[in-house]
Amino acid sequence: KAGVTQTPRYLIKTRGQQVTLSCSPISGHRSVSWYQQTPGQGLQFLFEYFSETQRNKGNFPGRFSGRQFSNSRSEMNVSTLELGDSALYLCASSLFFLVGGGETQYFGPGTRLLVL
Amino acid sequence: GENVEQHPSTLSVQEGDSAVIKCTYSDSASNYFPWYKQELGKRPQLIIDIRSNVGEKKDQRIAVTLNKTAKHFSLHITETQPEDSAVYFCAASISNDKIIFGKGTRLHILP
């Protein structure tokens, strides 16, 4: 079975631009969750999608949004990029709910975003 | 707001000894506590988790304990090996809500 894939792997943007990241879950997995990882803040939860619906959301501004398609693939969008958005963005997939459901999750390799 | 404190931030143990990492959480409604291991340059990996209705869970050399009254949970690694060197993150989550991570513990296994 193929693992979780994320595209692109690396991205350089400038302040004010927007970016869309993609995550393809393991086949059959219905939950996709997104995380931001930085040296200063560590791992932070962005949101979780299940069956095309956002189940929950972390403490991030409205510039961070996402969606999930009928094939469970998910995209994350960040608008009006700021320097502080430079980070590794990870997604993870699980069979059922992650948050509260306690399902085993598998992470993708991440997209490293640099905002100049 | 919700918070997860993790200690220590760095831990060095001799190979073969045990390592213990502790986390405390603030929201008493938290009911799921996963632990992740992240080796240098690699993606995080869920290594063990525990639900609020269980006090302890073991998987070979790894165990997690939960004290709901004190709102803390711990990761125990016995007979440590070089491949245990990594950053370990604890987390706490509430049903249908967000998941909060600790800041991480960098574990060094000394030869």
Side-chain angles (χ1 to χ4, degrees):
Chain A
K1 231 180 203 184
V4 180
T5 58
Q6 291 187 245
T7 55
R9 295 291 313 277
Y10 303 92
L11 205 48
I12 300 175
K13 292 283 188 179
T14 55
R15 278 186 305 173
Q17 287 188 309
Q18 77 159 22
V19 66
T20 299
L21 312 181
S22 179
C23 174
S24 292
I26 290 171
S27 178
H29 283 195
R30 294 164 64 191
S31 165
V32 174
S33 49
W34 287 90
Y35 307 83
Q36 182 194 65
Q37 186 170 30
T38 60
Q41 296 298 316
L43 263 175
Q44 295 187 86
F45 170 76
L46 279 154
F47 28 65
E48 180 185 12
Y49 283 86
F50 181 83
S51 292
E52 302 177 65
T53 302
Q54 186 181 89
R55 286 191 68 235
N56 39 46
K57 187 172 162 66
N59 297 328
F60 278 81
R63 300 185 298 106
F64 291 82
S65 64
R67 59 179 176 166
Q68 187 179 34
F69 301 95
S70 58
N71 61 358
S72 293
R73 188 178 72 86
S74 177
E75 287 182 348
M76 190 195 94
N77 185 76
V78 187
S79 62
T80 320
L81 283 165
E82 300 176 0
L83 296 180
D85 297 333
S86 294
L88 178 67
Y89 290 89
L90 293 155
C91 74
S93 79
S94 57
L95 198 58
F96 203 62
F97 298 154
L98 165 65
V99 177
E103 284 285 328
T104 298
Q105 58 173 160
Y106 300 88
F107 283 85
T111 294
R112 191 164 294 280
L113 172 65
L114 177 62
V115 181
L116 302 175
Chain B
E2 306 94 335
N3 190 41
V4 174
E5 299 273 348
Q6 183 172 349
H7 298 281
S9 56
T10 307
L11 178 62
S12 297
V13 301
Q14 212 68 39
E15 183 179 347
D17 288 351
S18 295
V20 180
I21 302 170
K22 299 181 180 181
C23 290
T24 58
Y25 59 98
S26 59
D27 195 325
S28 55
S30 298
N31 60 357
Y32 174 62
F33 307 90
W35 285 88
Y36 301 87
K37 173 184 179 183
Q38 188 173 27
E39 295 174 63
L40 191 61
K42 296 196 174 177
R43 66 194 78 180
Q45 173 189 358
L46 177 70
I47 56 171
I48 195 166
D49 54 18
I50 192 167
R51 290 178 175 276
S52 56
N53 59 350
V54 175
E56 183 176 358
K57 185 175 177 181
K58 269 187 173 179
D59 183 4
Q60 298 181 349
R61 297 187 297 108
I62 293 173
V64 57
T65 58
L66 171 65
N67 183 326
K68 284 191 67 180
T69 305
K71 290 192 283 186
H72 70 70
F73 56 113
S74 301
L75 177 72
H76 304 253
I77 307 174
T78 58
E79 299 171 16
T80 52
Q81 299 170 6
E83 54 265 36
D84 295 330
S85 292
V87 178
Y88 291 81
F89 294 95
C90 64
S93 84
I94 307 167
S95 296
N96 297 322
D97 201 356
K98 60 183 76 72
I99 183 166
I100 308 290
F101 291 89
K103 292 287 190 189
T105 295
R106 188 170 297 278
L107 176 63
H108 298 278
I109 305 301
L110 305 172

